[in-house]
Amino acid sequence: MAGLLSGLSEIGLGGLENMEVYEQPEDKEAEKQAEEKPEVKEETFLFDKSYECPVCYQGFKAKTVRSGKLRSLGTDRDLRPLYDQMEPLKYDVVICPHCGYAALTRFFGGLTAGQIKAIKENISANFHPVEEEKETYTYEEALYRYKLCLANTIVKHGKVSEKAYICLKAGWLLRSMGENLDPAVEDYNKKIQEIKEQEKDFLKNALDGLINARQTESYPICGMDEVTLEYLIAVLAMEFEKYDISSRLIYNILNTPTVNNRIKDKAREVKDELLQQMGKK
């Protein structure tokens, strides 16, 4: 049977007689996949923010995230925020490149004279000044920044909640590091295991500190109200098989009428997982 375009050869267009009227879907899909997506660079989400160090009083700039450009993907069960295209946790520590003072952005200022003295004697006296010229930080560099931040907070005798919050965020950072580790990297399985162990260590310290802070500090604690903190402790406690703590806090949340539905829904999910884990013991 003649094709729809048969006869065009009479006018010199015989090469078109066998053309398909409609493009095949798979061809279109192949073209779509072949299109190059524009590369989104991490530095486009960052800008240099000016700071004055409360220890040495020198000025410097630090990489800061343009939060308005981030697209939220929700949170993990332990409230770790998830974003598309880049990891903001890498930029939440501010370090003075002159004296080594480091803190989370939330806690950067407000030092007492005694804290300044302690940092100068225990951090600055041995710190090697560095130049902050990097466009972005690797996960390894970000983890070093969290460790220096924690060391500063220990030295200045910061609040238990501050130390716990640093450990929490470092644990989250390590989780993100593991998720983004290239499977083709040498000794991948060994490195993943090391990352998971470090994450567990930081989160265990976060749990211990948050339990302490809940008993000794007033709210808000690290920006969290009572219900949010109780939920977070319950989740972390469940991960470390402290089921008595976890169940007590979860049932407290579920039995409090004023708790909003969003948190209650999360608490119900934790309760179900908690019961399942306890049933296996």
Side-chain angles (χ1 to χ4, degrees), residues 29-258:
E29 185 64 28
E31 290 178 10
K32 183 178 179 181
Q33 292 178 0
E35 292 178 1
E36 291 187 6
K37 294 182 179 180
E39 182 183 0
V40 179
K41 295 185 177 181
E42 189 166 304
E43 50 264 41
T44 63
F45 294 91
L46 305 172
F47 72 99
D48 290 326
K49 183 175 179 178
S50 296
Y51 288 88
E52 181 181 282
C53 178
V55 174
C56 68
Y57 303 107
Q58 295 200 55
F60 64 95
K61 295 181 183 294
K63 297 296 178 186
T64 306
V65 177
R66 300 179 189 274
S67 56
K69 297 191 69 172
L70 296 175
R71 184 165 68 92
S72 174
L73 299 177
T75 64
D76 280 345
R77 183 162 56 191
D78 63 2
L79 303 182
R80 168 199 163 205
L82 305 172
Y83 294 97
D84 190 23
Q85 298 178 315
M86 66 93 67
E87 179 52 84
L89 286 168
K90 292 197 289 183
Y91 302 93
D92 200 27
V93 174
V94 180
I95 298 178
C96 173
H98 308 291
C99 72
Y101 171 61
L104 294 178
T105 52
R106 174 187 292 274
F107 304 112
F108 187 74
L111 298 179
T112 66
Q115 289 176 322
I116 292 174
K117 182 175 182 292
I119 291 168
K120 284 183 176 180
E121 292 177 350
N122 295 280
I123 300 291
S124 305
N126 303 302
F127 179 73
H128 300 294
V130 296
E131 292 296 329
E132 293 277 286
E133 296 181 348
K134 294 182 176 295
E135 291 295 322
T136 61
Y137 301 140
T138 65
Y139 277 99
E140 290 77 13
E141 290 166 342
L143 182 58
Y144 147 78
R145 296 172 72 84
Y146 274 92
K147 290 180 179 180
L148 181 57
C149 178
L150 182 58
N152 269 266
T153 308
I154 295 170
V155 163
K156 74 178 184 181
H157 300 292
K159 286 185 175 182
V160 171
S161 59
E162 183 177 351
K163 288 181 276 191
Y165 200 53
I166 294 167
C167 289
L168 177 68
K169 290 205 158 193
W172 287 346
L173 176 77
L174 282 155
R175 188 182 308 161
S176 181
M177 181 191 295
E179 291 169 352
N180 289 278
L181 185 65
D182 186 354
V185 73
E186 186 178 356
D187 295 327
Y188 172 79
N189 291 331
K190 179 181 177 181
K191 290 181 179 179
I192 278 291
Q193 186 60 35
E194 290 174 349
I195 290 171
K196 288 181 177 179
E197 288 175 359
Q198 287 187 79
E199 176 191 346
K200 185 175 180 180
D201 287 342
F202 274 108
L203 293 183
K204 177 62 170 61
N205 277 277
L207 172 61
D208 293 342
L210 292 174
I211 290 174
N212 188 321
R214 177 174 175 265
Q215 298 168 342
T216 60
E217 298 180 23
S218 56
Y219 291 95
I221 294 176
C222 299
M224 292 180 281
D225 60 22
E226 184 174 1
V227 172
T228 303
L229 182 61
E230 287 188 349
Y231 169 81
L232 177 57
I233 291 174
V235 172
L236 293 175
M238 180 177 65
E239 294 301 319
F240 291 99
E241 300 183 1
K242 295 181 180 290
Y243 299 132
D244 56 333
I245 296 174
S246 185
S247 58
R248 183 169 67 250
L249 293 177
I250 285 298
Y251 280 102
N252 183 53
I253 292 171
L254 293 175
N255 291 324
T256 301
T258 56

Side-chain angles (χ1 to χ4, degrees), residues 8-38:
L8 290 181
S9 57
E10 297 178 7
I11 56 174
L13 299 179
L16 304 181
E17 289 184 343
N18 295 319
M19 287 194 307
E20 295 287 343
V21 177
Y22 302 109
E23 295 181 15
Q24 297 298 315
E26 57 270 18
D27 293 337
K28 196 70 176 178
E29 185 64 28
E31 290 178 10
K32 183 178 179 181
Q33 292 178 0
E35 292 178 1
E36 291 187 6
K37 294 182 179 180

